[in-house]
Amino acid sequence: MRPDDANVAGNVHGGTILKMIEEAGAIISTRHCNSQNGERCVAALARVERTDFLSPMCIGEVAHVSAEITYTSKHSVEVQVHVMSENILTGTKKLTNKATLWYVPLSLKNVDKVLEVPPIVYSRQELEEEGRKRYEAQKLQRMETTWRNGDMVQPVANPEPNTVSYSQSSLIHLVGPSDCTLHGFVHGGVTMKLMDEVAGIVAARHCKTNIVTASVDAINFHDKIRKGCVVTISGRMTFTSNKSMEIEVLVDADPVVDNSQKRYRAASAFFTYVSLNQEGKPLPVPQLVPETEDEKKRFEDGKGRYVQMKAKRQGHTEPQP
Amino acid sequence: MRPDDANVAGNVHGGTILKMIEEAGAIISTRHCNSQNGERCVAALARVERTDFLSPMCIGEVAHVSAEITYTSKHSVEVQVHVMSENILTGTKKLTNKATLWYVPLSLKNVDKVLEVPPIVYSRQELEEEGRKRYEAQKLQRMETTWRNGDMVQPVANPEPNTVSYSQSSLIHLVGPSDCTLHGFVHGGVTMKLMDEVAGIVAARHCKTNIVTASVDAINFHDKIRKGCVVTISGRMTFTSNKSMEIEVLVDADPVVDNSQKRYRAASAFFTYVSLNQEGKPLPVPQLVPETEDEKKRFEDGKGRYVQMKAKRQGHTEPQP
Amino acid sequence: MRPDDANVAGNVHGGTILKMIEEAGAIISTRHCNSQNGERCVAALARVERTDFLSPMCIGEVAHVSAEITYTSKHSVEVQVHVMSENILTGTKKLTNKATLWYVPLSLKNVDKVLEVPPIVYSRQELEEEGRKRYEAQKLQRMETTWRNGDMVQPVANPEPNTVSYSQSSLIHLVGPSDCTLHGFVHGGVTMKLMDEVAGIVAARHCKTNIVTASVDAINFHDKIRKGCVVTISGRMTFTSNKSMEIEVLVDADPVVDNSQKRYRAASAFFTYVSLNQEGKPLPVPQLVPETEDEKKRFEDGKGRYVQMKAKRQGHTEPQP
């Protein structure tokens, strides 16, 4: 991990880690989907399940990323990725992330054609059954989230501190060759890194301290982003608890050169950030002041997600897939 | 703004800011020129007006770049860009740059064809008149400056093809944080990457084909290179066989800011390159013509290394450690 | 492997592979040298043995880099690294490199102190004996090569401080995919960033302090620069006032692979830099000593531009468009 991967306090950005996770997932699932003779394909990221950042990673540490295919349906692959941080000076190793990603194989000849996935062999029957349940659950959730597409983040003149308008931020990025797969569309990991960057700026503006990613809600990739697009990534704070902030990030793609296609919502997610003091302990965060009806509605929704997640943890139930 | 965007004192490089300004300009003018149905185009930068850096930007600050189209002529677009620095910890915002750029839309099908620019609507009549004046003024200045083209900063004027002087090349690199270890000195791998880059340019200049690295002689790292140094990497061709070229690469470090230390040789190596045709088969290379006594001496030395290595390979002996 | 790692023919640069090899070597040897309790250290690269590139690596392939410690002396570590390329679409794997690197552990507290290396255990006695021979052989070779240090590739031998020759600098850059638009020519912003980089190095060499860009004169982009070109960016100081330096930067493009086109001037500009003290206040700069007639002429021209600009500012006139 290099200085550019981290914030000024030396903590590696959550987005850098998400990018590595996705790279590992894309390699293992592309390899698997091409393991039988047949049409060549590239695996495209369709969804990332909720991910917690269990422990910080620092500049100078070595990241170990390992990936395993844990379930296959007819047209999709589930990959589980583990990230460990290793301090090579002290030998200390820590688990920083466990993530679950879903990929879909797209034909190299025709990017709109989804190919079939070779089935994997399960060491135990239950594994297949559990995988099928995770598959069904995520399918359901993906259908639910699509309607979220409509609204945009617009700038406001002279906002008050602690309001949504005060910290909301957006970033535009012209997609270049290095952002893209062989297919000419953006790597999911590149998009996630940009999303985390915007969320981090929103969080820092709100609480003006050293902030780090605590978790990312499930992200659905509704549609591919092509080379030559301009991507707009917008972030706004939706909810604050005593010691955490929830930020909604929206990704819109704009095919500037191709007039026939309209701007469209490519992905969206909720990031949770915490604020840390010099010793790395969580600090209280200033409470968000929602102003409009929409903001109040989103605050309540965020509170709902927060309470539900807290209940799950206290009940020692497993995080939902 | 990241560590790599800035110098050792934490001030963001002017070049980083200029690059962002141009990106914003290119996006807004490409979008505008494609806003009507018709041939697709990309906006190419034709001119940047004089730009002052009004206040420094620092690592950790957020840069806000906003662009607006302020004038259009038949074939060009004027864009005005403002850059603000925001310290998200204190909330302070400062204007760092105002820039004016001129773009020309080039057809995506034929890069030498300039397309027509859709006219913009002016909120007040005077704005159009003022824009026209700026347009005429810059047109005049562009014509005046073209003659400046003549002179070169070159060690040897008009060298003959196939000589050492013809292909010799050098590169300077300011060591940044991402190039360095925790110790603050340059990773050996970063130095080797730069060495190969220079060797490749020397080889390409010599034989004007697709070239690839075939081998690298042993490299000794005589001395550490520290953060903030300027590194000069120089390459010159020393020897050619029928199908290979040997290039000597020298790495010198110059501690610019620290007056007490002199420029020193940090590493040196011989790279061997081959030239490939479309099918990836080695091509004959033009023979090097050594001119000076030193060049002839180095050519003979290179031949010696070549013959020795060939003998070793044919004798099936192990490569020496 | 990404587009940026490779040349226009799709072959990954040897330098990219050397960088990965060294990264693997640095990680494994730093980890080993810190494996016993004691002073913390970082392994610094001392030598790379001769390396052959056995087979090309291409964009889209996955590189596998594996490293093993094969010998330790009292103060150095030998690491052997293997690189395999894997085509994840076809499953083909090929050995591309075998490399041997020598590292030396340097104390984190005192970078000039070499620490002791914990010994490794050999699976067979002969391995230690063979390693010792390689160790002795490389030690001998390192001593032999040190004398090579003398000669330089330099336009002017030993220039005097404060002259134009003393600080003039140039940089070559091979245009890569990320530098380019969809059209395949270089973004204006990329060119400007490189121009500022060269100007900054000229300014730093001249005054050996922290320097920042104060302004950039109008820049005209005379001609497009295409993918695959080698760009030479040269900077030389033209004028100094009490507290500012003017540097002329010339950009020449050289279509190395395309024989039909000659080297041409693509852009040129004047950058003004100031020197800052620790508190960010401008410092006086050493006065430039022009030597040749050309240099004296350019100094006078620079003075003219300086006086004109100062007059404009004092007359409260608007900066020219």
Side-chain angles (χ1 to χ4, degrees), chain A residues 2-6 8 13 59-60 89 166 172-174 193 197 200-201 204-210 230 232 254 256-260 263, chain B residues 2-5 23-24 27 30-31 34-37 40-42 59-60 62 64 86-91 93 108 177-178 180 182 187 190:
Chain A
R2 306 261 160 105
D4 264 20
D5 299 322
V8 279
H13 294 295
I59 299 176
L89 303 185
Y166 184 82
I172 51 172
H173 175 74
L174 180 60
K193 189 165 189 280
E197 199 171 315
I201 290 174
R205 275 184 171 156
H206 183 78
C207 66
K208 301 178 187 308
T209 52
N210 177 34
V230 170
T232 305
D254 194 352
V256 271
V257 174
D258 179 3
N259 229 330
S260 66
R263 181 171 167 145
Chain B
R2 308 256 162 107
D4 268 16
D5 299 322
E23 205 166 297
I27 290 173
T30 299
R31 186 190 282 151
N34 286 289
S35 61
Q36 294 189 342
N37 288 324
R40 295 290 150 232
C41 62
V42 166
I59 298 176
V62 173
H64 294 257
E86 178 191 3
N87 182 324
I88 48 177
L89 302 186
T90 62
K93 282 188 185 181
L108 262 182
S178 280
C180 290
L182 289 174
H187 287 287
V190 170

Side-chain angles (χ1 to χ4, degrees), chain C residues 68-126:
Chain C
E68 188 191 1
I69 294 179
T70 43
Y71 182 75
T72 52
S73 74
K74 192 174 175 191
H75 290 299
S76 62
V77 181
E78 186 199 50
V79 180
Q80 292 192 2
V81 180
H82 285 71
V83 183
M84 306 278 296
S85 67
E86 178 192 4
N87 182 326
I88 50 175
L89 302 185
T90 63
T92 316
K93 280 190 187 182
K94 280 184 187 165
L95 180 68
T96 63
N97 283 82
K98 284 194 279 188
T100 303
L101 302 93
W102 295 90
Y103 286 87
V104 168
L106 303 179
S107 160
L108 262 183
K109 282 184 210 142
N110 171 7
V111 70
D112 294 320
K113 185 178 165 196
V114 178
L115 299 185
E116 289 197 15
V117 176
I120 60 165
V121 178
Y122 300 90
S123 58
R124 285 177 299 123
Q125 174 89 53
E126 306 92 87

Side-chain angles (χ1 to χ4, degrees), chain A residues 145-214:
Chain A
T145 54
T146 318
W147 60 265
R148 225 199 265 162
N149 279 15
D151 74 326
M152 296 279 173
V153 176
Q154 298 286 352
V156 174
N158 300 317
E160 290 291 311
N162 303 335
T163 61
V164 175
S165 309
Y166 184 82
S167 58
Q168 74 178 26
S169 305
S170 69
L171 177 157
I172 51 172
H173 175 74
L174 180 60
V175 172
S178 279
D179 301 327
C180 290
T181 63
L182 290 174
H183 255 146
F185 55 76
V186 178
H187 287 287
V190 170
T191 307
M192 289 196 286
K193 189 165 189 280
L194 291 169
M195 292 170 87
D196 178 68
E197 199 171 315
V198 170
I201 290 174
V202 173
R205 275 184 171 156
H206 183 78
C207 66
K208 301 178 187 308
T209 52
N210 177 34
I211 46 83
V212 296
T213 318

